[in-house]
Amino acid sequence: VQLQASGGGLVQPGGSLRLSCAASGMISSIDVMGWYRQIPGKQRELVARIQSGGRTYYGDFVKGRFTISRDDAKNTVSLQMNDLKSEDTAVYYCNMVVRTTWGSTNSYWGQGTQVTVSS
């Protein structure tokens, strides 16, 4: 199973970005899809995750600015980020808990995509 993230970049404060992550491989189903971020010198933290039934969880710092969504037909997860702030600057990683076709359940990570919020 491989995860490919895209959509990072440079944006001004108050701007928006949309991150996407697609999973490929021997996938039977995906239980949880999520986004984490890592700011230099800090631990990786949860940004948002969405369960197979659609329930969502967000980090406290999101405060209604981000929206996570999933497309199970395409094995993708997206993160719409609005009203970005300089403190959102980080490397963003997608994560999926995947049930494989050979019967195992594992957590997989994407390669990380840089988001820089700066004027």
Side-chain angles (χ1 to χ4, degrees):
V1 176
Q2 292 186 324
L3 274 57
Q4 181 69 46
S6 61
L10 173 65
V11 64
Q12 292 186 342
S16 299
L17 279 177
R18 185 176 181 85
L19 306 181
S20 294
C21 179
S24 60
M26 307 297 281
I27 299 168
S28 176
S29 62
I30 304 176
D31 291 343
V32 184
M33 300 182 181
W35 289 93
Y36 291 73
R37 71 184 188 183
Q38 189 158 22
I39 298 168
K42 296 188 176 182
Q43 287 188 328
R44 192 172 295 188
E45 62 182 348
L46 173 70
V47 178
R49 69 173 186 261
I50 181 168
Q51 295 182 324
S52 57
R55 178 172 290 185
T56 57
Y57 300 87
Y58 293 93
D60 291 341
F61 59 86
V62 170
K63 298 186 187 301
R65 300 180 296 130
F66 300 172
T67 302
I68 190 170
S69 59
R70 61 188 285 165
D71 183 338
D72 290 320
K74 297 180 179 179
N75 292 329
T76 60
V77 60
S78 297
L79 183 70
Q80 177 66 41
M81 303 187 293
N82 299 325
D83 190 23
L84 283 160
K85 307 176 185 301
S86 58
E87 52 264 39
D88 294 317
T89 295
V91 179
Y92 285 70
Y93 298 90
C94 59
N95 173 266
M96 297 189 189
V97 179
V98 177
R99 298 187 187 220
T100 64
T101 54
W102 64 84
S104 66
T105 299
N106 300 298
S107 176
Y108 296 90
W109 291 90
Q111 81 279 17
T113 184
Q114 177 71 46
V115 171
T116 302
V117 185
S118 175
S119 56

